[in-house]
Amino acid sequence: MSVQMAARPNDDPLLRVEGLSVSYPGGQPDQQTIHAVRNLSFVIAAGETLGIVGESGSGKTQSALSLMGLLPETALKAGSAIFAGRDLLSLDDGKLNQIRGSAISMIFQDPMTSLNPHIAIGRQMSRVLERHQGMSRRTALKVAAEMLDAVRVPDAADRLRQYPHELSGGMRQRIMIATALLCKPQLLIADEPTTALDVTVQAQILTLMHDLQHELGTAILLITHDMGVVAGLCDRVLVMRDGQMRECGSVNKVFYESQDNYTRELLAAVPRLDEVQPRRLAVVGDSEAEATADIDSRPVGDTMLTVDKLEVRFSAGRPGPFRPVQFLHAVAGVSLELGRGETLGIVGESGCGKSSLARGVLQLVDVHAGRVTLLGEELGMLDKQRLKQRRRQMQIIFQDPLASLDPRMTIADIVAEPLHTFFPTMSRTRQLVKVKAILERMGLEAGYMNRYPHEFSGGQCQRIGIARALIAEPELVICDEPVSALDVSVQAQIVNLLMDLQQDMGLALIFIAHDLAVVRHISHRVMVMYLGRIAEVADRDALYNSPRHPYTQALISAVPIPDPRVERNRDRTLLAGDVPSPLEPPSGCAFRTRCPLADARCAAETPGLRTAGESLVACHHA
Amino acid sequence: MDGGAARLDAHAHTAQNRTMLSFAFRRFLSAIPTLLILIALAFALIRVAPGGPFDTEKQIPPEIEARLNEAYHLDEPLYQQFGRYLTGLAQGDFGPSFQYKDFTVTELIAAGFPVSLKLGGLAMLLALLVGISVGTLAALRQNSRTDHVAMAAAMTGISIPNFVLAPLLVLLFAVTLRWLPAGGLGDGSLINLVLPVISLALPQIAYIARLTRGSMIEVLRSDFIRTARAQGLPGREIILGHALKPAMLPIVSYLGPATAGIITGSVVIEQIFGVPGLGRYFVQGALNRDYTLVMGVVVFYGVLIIMFNFLVDLAYRWLDPRVKL
Ligand code: SF4
């Protein structure tokens, strides 16, 4: 993507929003009114891309929904949004319906739930054209097929007969985009359009949006939390926090000369893929840089965990009288070693088996083949009783902090649970002393002990989850996407906390994430997985600076970098297509269906791991 | 390239047809044990009940009873009777009626079923039409007066049994207002069926309305409805084009139990309104210990319900393409 700053007629903007406010009055007298958006003003010129960024609760999505008249009925709107001489905020549904889907259209985050699973794609698309352009269904379907072609959906005509569940996430989002563009809108509102997608697919979709904008001249209002996406795609940015605008300006101005504290802190809190940050991640609202916990100052001790050719498989569906059980090989022979105090990062897209690997190592799922040895003991050989004892030494932290905490237990009981299990004779008083100490270590007040999980924010819940994992002093902790559900500023705090704890307690960490930048920041070594196998393992810097496997290279080049100048001048290796279904992995090298280097040998022979440069790589041609 | 795509497509279609066929075949196989269990249970229950088919107030001479028992094979051990019955069934023969001496059970079913089918079919149609409309309306006006009234009425409809409801309706519309006939088929015109159909349908209407309301409210909250609104589709089109199909899923699942409910209901209703349908034969048969007739009706309805459930599964698959057969 190159920098695009064409001159645009600025006197009459496409959309002028002034004093937009959205509030939700409390139903009961004792409930307070929630102000989701306060006094927001901005303009969008024809053909430009304005990004609205902010963390959760910043009001960015509420603003967009209010423009489309999609807010719940309880919402109160104020202000004006003038589009083509009409105020969108005061139009009734009937008038709005002439604009929605035709002059302004919108795409949403999750292309699975946003498309109707019960209706064929062609029908969903043709309805829009029949309604807005009075076309017959036949013509509408023809136009729909052409539009699918334009968003690079292969075999467009066949797709029209299919249902959303038959297509991959990336395809579905292309179909969403095609549907939104059917009536050649002047403004496209995109609400987190790539957040639910894998990073290589995100890169395809972003490139597509960029190209389409050039072809069609559609203005885009892009709502996102991802600074990297903004850096690549937007002309101007509007930063929001707590319903208010913090700053608005050209991308370069906001990224390089921001006048706003919050914006600067937010940018600093994002870990970057392209540079090592030998420092704690900056924390929003706390600009004092603390003592560094540089990764390289965390010493790595001797090997404590060995995983040898681990295989985990699940039966997919019941066996029928005429159908054998089908197996999904989630992990197909993975070996690794981990030293005391070391962090191994595991990255890969959905379906790569990273979470199954974690569960296999912890013996939380049936291990089909292979050995896991923790501190000299082979876990698969232990009886139930012994394994239970060993669980004290290995703990897991989950992605969704709230869901993993029992809503009916107090924080003290939740955190003390492992003590009950592993030290049944410990007195209640002693337990509470320990709970209090660890909560304090997590930066939580001791006064929280008698409260319940729902009273806490996502970040606090994750701290509670970490406290529970660490209270019995484990030696190995597996973090399964521990920060993926958190906002950038909270993510930075949790990552810092984990690194500090590791240093204090000498923990060995396996850190699973799909965010390559966070993994780079926290890991000593990084392993890239694809469809249940290792693609590449290497020391962190070797992997990121000189990736050897074509998949690693593509993955790294697909991650947007929150720096407009860097981001717009990168050479991208765009991968075609999506990750194949793990139920039917390709023969030979699993990556060959998307690999730019694939040849006949790749289809015939599964590459083993071998040394190339500083990496271990599974590729014939690396 | 194009040819390849077409081939792929054709391939996909035959594959789909094949899964369809294998599904039908699997369902057929799995229906056999279900049916056998049903027959065995009915057979056992009816023999456990006290009394025999030829018990009347008048004492029959023992030798005649013995002859009768022999003629109808009632002197054989039970397992032989059962075997004989199954063999007959396999040839479509439900056996002779014990009570209506000149008819076979097959003939009785053939006489009664069309009447019952008309009654039950109309009741079902009415239940679906009214139930779905009322439920949808209530969902669209959630928490309004319309909603509250409709749901209160539905709750009442569910709680009043039809043997209470039917006489009340007769009292009101036939006896007091004299709008509609009170019973019998009269000249066979539809007006005679109005009251029986309504009595049969009302509880189902109530239940279907509640089901529809709940599932419609849930569907209307989903993301794809928001997408449809963002596409500028008007409300009517969103309901009919996007929401109705998914909202019908629970209704379709309920069709099985609903049919069973209508069949059992018809037994009572036919009795009350004097409609000469299968339900009446069933009740008469049960009172007279007409083993073969009662068994015949049970087996006939069993097969019907199993077939119907198969159709329901197909409908479900059409409504929700994600369902694998
Ligand atoms: S083995 Fe072949 S297909 Fe696999 S990554 Fe290497 S070049 Fe690509």
Side-chain angles (χ1 to χ4, degrees):
Chain A
M1 281 178 239
S2 62
V3 191
Q4 239 295 319
M5 291 278 174
R8 294 189 167 101
N10 247 353
D11 30 3
D12 207 10
L14 185 65
L15 173 72
R16 178 185 294 281
V17 175
E18 253 162 41
L20 172 67
S21 296
V22 177
S23 58
Y24 293 88
Q28 270 80 49
D30 58 328
Q31 279 177 328
Q32 280 186 343
T33 301
I34 297 166
H35 296 278
V37 181
R38 299 178 216 223
N39 199 15
L40 180 71
S41 303
F42 62 89
V43 294
I44 300 179
E48 85 165 333
T49 303
L50 172 69
I52 299 189
V53 286
E55 300 184 282
S56 48
S58 64
K60 53 190 194 302
T61 296
Q62 291 287 318
S63 322
L65 291 177
S66 71
L67 298 178
M68 294 293 278
L70 294 177
L71 290 175
E73 275 166 25
T74 49
L76 291 182
K77 293 183 276 189
S80 65
I82 308 296
F83 177 85
R86 296 204 270 185
D87 181 5
L88 297 176
L89 298 186
S90 56
L91 292 181
D92 60 27
D93 261 9
K95 297 238 173 57
L96 212 48
N97 278 343
Q98 294 166 2
I99 300 178
R100 296 196 283 212
S102 117
I104 306 181
S105 47
M106 182 157 182
I107 58 177
F108 300 92
Q109 172 169 350
D110 188 341
M112 183 68 230
T113 60
S114 299
L115 286 169
N116 192 333
H118 306 273
I119 294 177
I121 282 155
R123 193 74 194 94
Q124 299 192 41
M125 295 182 75
S126 69
R127 273 220 168 85
V128 178
L129 287 166
E130 287 167 44
R131 163 63 37 186
H132 290 293
Q133 320 221 317
M135 287 184 189
S136 70
R137 190 181 302 185
R138 272 183 77 101
T139 335
L141 285 173
K142 243 182 74 199
V143 175
E146 285 164 19
M147 190 48 87
L148 287 184
D149 252 344
V151 297
R152 339 279 194 251
V153 170
D155 304 322
D158 295 338
R159 296 290 94 84
L160 294 178
R161 280 193 295 275
Q162 288 185 303
Y163 290 86
H165 73 279
E166 300 174 74
L167 303 170
S168 66
M171 259 330 140
R172 289 196 289 254
Q173 196 56 296
R174 279 169 201 265
I175 286 165
M176 277 296 284
I177 294 175
T179 314
L181 296 179
L182 279 173
C183 301
K184 307 268 179 314
Q186 292 163 281
L187 174 63
L188 174 69
I189 302 179
D191 185 6
E192 302 270 9
T194 57
T195 307
L197 304 175
D198 280 323
V199 61
T200 56
V201 180
Q202 161 171 295
Q204 298 166 7
I205 298 291
L206 291 177
T207 310
L208 175 73
M209 286 175 64
H210 182 260
D211 295 352
L212 284 175
Q213 187 175 31
H214 274 242
E215 287 164 32
L216 306 174
T218 314
I220 297 181
L221 177 61
L222 177 75
I223 290 153
T224 180
H225 68 283
D226 189 332
M227 286 293 189
V229 171
V230 173
L233 206 60
C234 296
D235 303 314
R236 288 188 308 123
V237 198
L238 191 161
V239 182
M240 283 185 81
R241 185 188 200 187
D242 297 334
Q244 279 168 312
M245 181 178 100
R246 297 297 300 228
E247 187 169 27
C248 184
S250 76
V251 162
N252 283 345
K253 222 171 133 242
V254 170
F255 274 80
Y256 302 124
E257 300 153 35
S258 171
Q259 300 302 308
D260 179 62
N261 265 336
Y262 172 71
T263 309
R264 283 201 305 270
E265 286 167 359
L266 200 60
L267 279 168
V270 187
R272 279 180 62 162
L273 184 75
D274 57 335
E275 55 190 43
V276 188
Q277 288 136 315
R279 57 172 167 83
R280 296 168 61 93
L281 290 170
V283 168
V284 173
D286 173 18
S287 36
E288 261 174 70
E290 285 179 51
T292 59
D294 180 10
I295 189 95
D296 303 317
S297 68
R298 294 177 295 166
V300 173
D302 42 334
T303 305
M304 53 97 66
L305 173 75
T306 319
V307 176
D308 188 26
K309 301 204 187 68
L310 188 74
E311 284 182 40
V312 176
R313 61 178 204 183
F314 303 103
S315 56
R318 285 172 301 150
F322 310 104
R323 181 183 37 184
V325 202
Q326 216 182 353
F327 282 108
L328 188 158
H329 292 264
V331 181
V334 168
S335 305
L336 60 89
E337 284 186 355
L338 187 66
R340 277 179 206 281
E342 185 182 19
T343 305
L344 173 69
I346 303 183
V347 292
E349 297 177 285
S350 49
C352 76
K354 49 194 196 297
S355 289
S356 303
L357 174 63
R359 282 164 180 70
V361 168
L362 295 180
Q363 313 281 312
L364 293 174
V365 290
D366 278 341
V367 168
H368 176 61
R371 279 195 298 270
V372 179
T373 315
L374 179 71
L375 300 164
E377 255 185 326
E378 197 190 322
L379 298 181
M381 308 296 281
L382 299 179
D383 57 31
K384 272 222 173 89
Q385 209 47 43
R386 295 285 298 279
L387 184 62
K388 194 181 145 195
Q389 278 309 313
R390 283 289 158 266
R391 291 209 184 280
R392 186 187 70 74
Q393 291 160 333
M394 41 184 200
Q395 290 286 320
I396 184 164
I397 299 169
F398 298 100
Q399 169 173 3
D400 186 343
L402 188 57
S404 64
L405 305 178
D406 186 335
R408 288 155 309 181
M409 286 167 71
T410 62
I411 302 307
D413 287 337
I414 289 172
V415 176
E417 222 185 351
L419 295 178
H420 281 295
T421 317
F422 302 118
F423 307 99
T425 54
M426 189 184 280
S427 74
R428 176 81 181 155
T429 344
R430 177 105 190 76
Q431 282 180 2
L432 287 181
V433 170
K434 286 201 131 210
V435 169
K436 188 160 169 262
I438 195 134
L439 284 180
E440 267 163 17
R441 180 70 192 81
M442 297 301 137
L444 296 168
E445 286 167 36
Y448 290 168
M449 280 172 54
N450 294 318
R451 301 227 234 142
Y452 291 88
H454 69 265
E455 298 174 55
F456 296 95
S457 68
Q460 284 170 325
C461 282
Q462 197 55 290
R463 284 167 197 265
I464 294 164
I466 297 174
R468 176 179 57 182
L470 295 186
I471 195 159
E473 295 170 13
E475 282 160 88
L476 168 67
V477 176
I478 299 190
C479 313
D480 189 3
E481 303 265 11
V483 294
S484 319
L486 304 176
D487 276 324
V488 174
S489 58
V490 185
Q491 163 181 306
Q493 296 167 11
I494 298 289
V495 166
N496 288 342
L497 179 66
L498 280 172
M499 289 174 80
D500 292 350
L501 289 169
Q502 175 173 46
Q503 196 167 32
D504 296 354
M505 305 174 66
L507 292 174
L509 290 181
I510 294 183
F511 190 92
I512 297 170
H514 64 270
D515 183 334
L516 276 84
V518 175
V519 169
R520 168 164 209 171
H521 185 76
I522 201 170
S523 309
H524 295 90
R525 271 188 310 138
V526 177
M527 184 167 117
V528 180
M529 285 184 71
Y530 191 79
L531 281 180
R533 293 172 199 279
I534 300 179
E536 180 166 3
V537 203
D539 281 347
R540 169 185 72 171
D541 291 337
L543 189 105
Y544 283 83
N545 293 336
S546 48
R548 307 297 294 232
H549 196 284
Y551 178 58
T552 319
Q553 290 167 356
L555 208 52
I556 289 175
S557 100
V559 180
I561 293 174
D563 183 330
R565 285 184 199 129
V566 176
E567 177 66 10
R568 287 168 197 229
N569 292 309
R570 285 168 85 193
D571 284 325
R572 279 251 143 83
T573 343
L574 270 188
L575 285 185
D578 292 80
V579 184
S581 157
L583 266 176
E584 288 154 13
S587 67
C589 175
F591 184 55
R592 73 178 163 83
T593 50
R594 305 171 76 199
C595 180
L597 303 179
D599 60 14
R601 186 175 165 209
C602 304
E605 252 178 82
T606 309
L609 273 181
R610 63 189 178 81
T611 316
E614 292 175 62
S615 300
L616 276 176
V617 186
C619 171
H620 298 307
H621 304 290
Chain B
M1 182 69 217
D2 258 338
R7 216 168 27 247
L8 266 180
D9 207 44
H11 179 73
H13 278 287
T14 47
Q16 212 167 10
N17 289 340
R18 207 173 311 131
T19 55
M20 240 359 231
L21 268 177
S22 99
F23 171 68
F25 185 60
R26 271 183 285 141
R27 279 302 294 261
F28 178 70
L29 286 187
S30 70
I32 292 174
T34 319
L35 208 56
L36 277 177
I37 292 172
L38 175 80
I39 297 170
L41 266 178
F43 192 82
L45 273 178
I46 222 163
R47 310 271 143 148
V48 165
F54 308 117
D55 294 356
T56 48
E57 283 89 84
K58 218 163 31 115
Q59 198 58 49
I60 303 176
E63 55 273 27
I64 297 190
E65 194 179 343
R67 290 279 299 281
L68 274 172
N69 279 344
E70 201 190 315
Y72 288 102
H73 305 288
L74 293 175
D75 54 346
E76 290 175 1
L78 276 186
Y79 71 91
Q80 264 184 25
Q81 292 184 37
F82 188 59
R84 184 180 300 282
Y85 188 70
L86 284 184
T87 326
L89 263 191
Q91 294 154 10
D93 177 11
F94 287 95
S97 166
F98 290 165
Q99 211 65 43
Y100 304 88
K101 301 257 156 45
D102 297 332
F103 299 94
T104 63
V105 170
T106 317
E107 284 165 339
L108 290 176
I109 292 179
F113 181 59
V115 180
S116 293
L117 180 65
K118 202 157 152 199
L119 178 64
L122 284 174
M124 184 68 115
L125 217 64
L126 185 73
L128 286 173
L129 241 102
V130 179
I132 291 173
S133 315
V134 170
T136 307
L137 215 69
L140 289 181
R141 309 249 163 88
Q142 204 188 336
N143 293 329
S144 70
R145 275 267 291 287
T146 327
D147 182 21
H148 290 312
V149 171
M151 286 307 113
M155 205 55 230
T156 325
I158 291 172
S159 15
I160 299 183
N162 48 19
F163 58 84
V164 176
L165 189 74
L168 286 178
L169 288 178
V170 171
L171 212 59
L172 181 61
F173 290 104
V175 180
T176 313
L177 294 173
R178 300 188 163 279
W179 288 354
L180 296 163
L185 275 189
D187 56 358
S189 66
L190 275 183
I191 189 123
N192 297 293
L193 278 179
V194 171
L195 279 184
V197 164
I198 291 181
S199 322
L200 203 49
L202 266 181
Q204 305 299 336
I205 290 178
Y207 198 83
I208 290 175
R210 279 170 54 92
L211 260 185
T212 307
R213 176 183 181 270
S215 95
M216 188 58 103
I217 286 177
E218 180 142 351
V219 169
L220 287 177
R221 277 200 209 113
S222 50
D223 282 358
F224 59 80
I225 295 297
R226 186 182 59 185
T227 308
R229 291 181 61 206
Q231 286 167 348
L233 301 182
R236 222 175 59 95
E237 199 173 332
I238 291 179
I239 300 287
L240 295 179
H242 278 281
L244 200 59
K245 226 171 139 185
M248 281 306 97
L249 287 175
I251 314 299
V252 171
S253 314
Y254 175 64
L255 281 184
T259 321
I262 284 197
I263 288 175
T264 42
S266 73
V267 172
V268 178
I269 295 293
E270 285 177 10
Q271 200 68 17
I272 292 176
F273 288 96
V275 178
L278 211 46
R280 259 186 71 158
Y281 286 121
F282 183 76
V283 176
Q284 299 301 335
L287 291 177
N288 296 330
R289 292 209 183 66
D290 192 342
Y291 292 168
T292 40
L293 179 56
V294 171
M295 289 282 298
V297 174
V298 167
V299 172
F300 180 73
Y301 271 144
V303 171
L304 214 66
I305 289 182
I306 288 172
M307 265 166 47
F308 191 75
N309 276 332
F310 171 66
L311 291 181
V312 164
D313 280 349
L314 289 187
Y316 204 95
R317 152 84 225 227
W318 175 72
L319 284 173
D320 192 347
R322 288 168 300 182
V323 172
K324 291 222 181 71
L325 290 181

